[in-house]
Amino acid sequence: LSVLIMSPLVYVAGGGGGSVVSDADIKSISQVLFTLDSNKASASQLILEPQTLIPDSQTSAQTDHAPKPIIPVFKVVEMRSSSSLPTYAALLAVLDNYRRMTGQTEAFTQQQLQEQEHFVRETMSNTEVGRELFAFLYTKGVYSSEEEFLQDLKMMWFGLYSRSNGQLDSSGFEHIFAGEVKGGKVSGFHNWIQFYLLEKRGQLNYYSHSFNGPWTSYPDVLGMQFNWDGYYKQVGSAVIGCSPEFDFALYSLCYITRPGKMCRLSLGGKELRIQTYTWDKTTYGDGKKYIGSAFPATP
C-alpha cells in the first residue's frame, strides 16, 4: 500500500480511492472491535499462569523459570469441532500447513489453499468483528467492495515470498500466526492459540515473561520467553485470549492503515501498540507489499 505521511493523519491508498485515517479513527474502530469480540475466551474457559516476570536484561539468558505451562487449560480448542466455533476450527485447519524452517519451499495442496480462503472468509465475512472492520475501511475509501477486501487480505497474508535461499518459504500468516525458525532462532510466532497447541503437545516449553499488559480480563498481552522444540524465542509477544477473528482483524487494521509503522489501538480504554513491517523485496497486484510482520510492542 502506498502511504504519504501526514502525521498524525495517514493517507491510505486503496481500490476505493483512499482517504485519511487518523490515529483517533484507529483507536475508535479498535475499541469497537474489542467490544464486538464475542468469541474471546472467558475466565472460566482459559486459565493463564504467567509465573516468573523477568527484566528485559535477562531475556537472552534462556533460563526456564516456569515449572508449569503458561496455558494449562483452554476449553474452547477442546471443542473445536463444534459448529458454534467455526473461526477456531478454520484457524486450526491452516496452522498445520507450514514447514517452520525458512529456506524450505512452502507447497500447498488444493485443500490447503481452500483452507486459507475459508479462514479469511470465516473470520472476516461471517463475524461481527470482520464485518465491522470492512465497514470501517469501506467508509474510509480503502476498499470499494467486500470481495476486493477479502482478496487483498488473502494476498497480503498468504502470498508467498522468500526469507532464505530464494525459496518461496514464507508469508505474513506463517510468520505471525504459525511461527518460523530462521538463523537458529524462532522468528515471528505471535499467536496465542498456536502457542497453546504446541505447549499441550510438549513441543514448546514456556520459560518466563518480560511484559504483562494492564488488562485484567481477556484479551491480555504478554511478552514471553520460550523454547520451541530446540529453538529459542527471546521475546514473543501475543494478544492472549482473543478470538481468531479479533487477532486477524487487529493486525490487518494496523498493517493496512499503518504499514511499516507503530499503530496505536484502544482495547477497553487501554492503549495497545502494534508494530508492523512491510516485505519490501517482492510485491503483489499493483505494487502492493506483503506483510513482513506485526506484533504487540512490549513495552
Side-chain angles (χ1 to χ4, degrees):
L1 299 176
S2 58
V3 178
L4 179 62
I5 302 301
M6 299 185 297
S7 185
L9 304 178
V10 174
Y11 183 86
V12 180
S19 71
V20 170
V21 178
S22 69
D23 288 349
D25 289 335
I26 295 173
K27 285 200 169 186
S28 177
I29 184 59
S30 61
Q31 184 62 47
V32 172
L33 298 178
F34 172 85
T35 303
L36 290 176
D37 190 18
S38 59
N39 284 331
K40 67 182 179 182
S42 67
S44 64
Q45 293 169 331
L46 174 61
I47 295 175
L48 194 65
E49 297 190 2
Q51 300 165 79
T52 303
L53 175 68
I54 65 171
D56 291 339
S57 61
Q58 294 181 17
T59 58
S60 62
Q62 302 193 34
T63 303
D64 187 353
H65 295 282
K68 297 180 291 185
I70 186 175
I71 309 177
V73 175
F74 179 41
K75 295 178 181 177
V76 171
V77 164
E78 307 313 318
M79 302 160 53
R80 60 184 176 271
S81 60
S82 169
S83 60
S84 64
L85 299 167
T87 59
Y88 285 88
L91 175 61
L92 267 60
V94 182
L95 280 176
D96 62 3
N97 293 345
Y98 293 96
R99 307 164 74 181
R100 66 175 183 165
M101 304 300 293
T102 58
Q104 297 181 359
T105 301
E106 298 291 354
F108 302 115
T109 65
Q110 192 59 41
Q111 178 181 335
Q112 290 171 334
L113 292 172
Q114 290 171 357
E115 288 169 352
Q116 295 174 6
E117 175 93 19
H118 178 69
F119 174 77
V120 172
R121 291 186 180 275
E122 194 63 59
T123 55
M124 294 294 100
S125 286
N126 295 341
T127 67
E128 285 188 288
V129 168
R131 289 190 292 265
E132 188 68 26
L133 175 61
F134 167 67
F136 170 77
L137 295 171
Y138 176 81
T139 301
K140 291 295 181 181
V142 180
Y143 297 105
S144 58
S145 70
E146 184 185 28
E147 192 60 30
E148 181 191 13
F149 168 62
L150 296 174
Q151 291 305 311
D152 196 36
L153 286 177
K154 191 170 74 168
M155 287 302 300
M156 74 172 67
W157 276 100
F158 290 99
L160 293 173
Y161 50 80
S162 176
R163 288 188 191 267
S164 180
N165 296 339
Q167 304 297 311
L168 292 177
D169 60 354
S170 185
S171 67
F173 182 89
E174 179 183 8
H175 183 78
I176 296 166
F177 278 79
E180 300 177 298
V181 172
K182 181 180 180 182
K185 300 177 183 178
V186 176
S187 181
F189 200 137
H190 301 288
N191 178 252
W192 74 278
I193 295 174
Q194 172 77 328
F195 194 102
Y196 167 76
L197 292 170
L198 293 172
E199 187 177 49
K200 186 179 179 184
R201 293 175 195 148
Q203 297 173 341
L204 186 150
N205 183 9
Y206 168 72
Y207 282 6
S208 57
H209 66 290
S210 52
F211 175 83
N212 193 341
W215 295 271
T216 55
S217 60
Y218 300 123
D220 197 358
V221 177
L222 288 177
M224 300 170 287
Q225 292 71 52
F226 58 91
N227 185 296
W228 179 16
D229 205 12
Y231 298 93
Y232 185 64
K233 180 71 174 182
Q234 185 169 344
V235 182
S237 57
V239 181
I240 296 179
C242 64
S243 68
E245 58 265 34
F246 185 77
D247 224 8
F248 195 58
L250 280 197
Y251 290 136
S252 298
L253 167 67
C254 283
Y255 186 75
I256 291 166
T257 61
R258 296 293 185 269
K261 302 189 180 303
M262 189 70 76
C263 176
R264 299 180 183 276
L265 308 172
S266 176
L267 305 188
K270 299 179 176 68
E271 184 178 81
L272 169 65
R273 296 177 303 136
I274 300 286
Q275 177 66 54
T276 71
Y277 290 96
T278 59
W279 183 257
D280 296 333
K281 297 179 182 178
T282 50
T283 60
Y284 70 94
D286 187 19
K288 292 186 175 183
K289 294 181 179 179
Y290 299 106
I291 296 177
S293 191
F295 53 86
T298 56

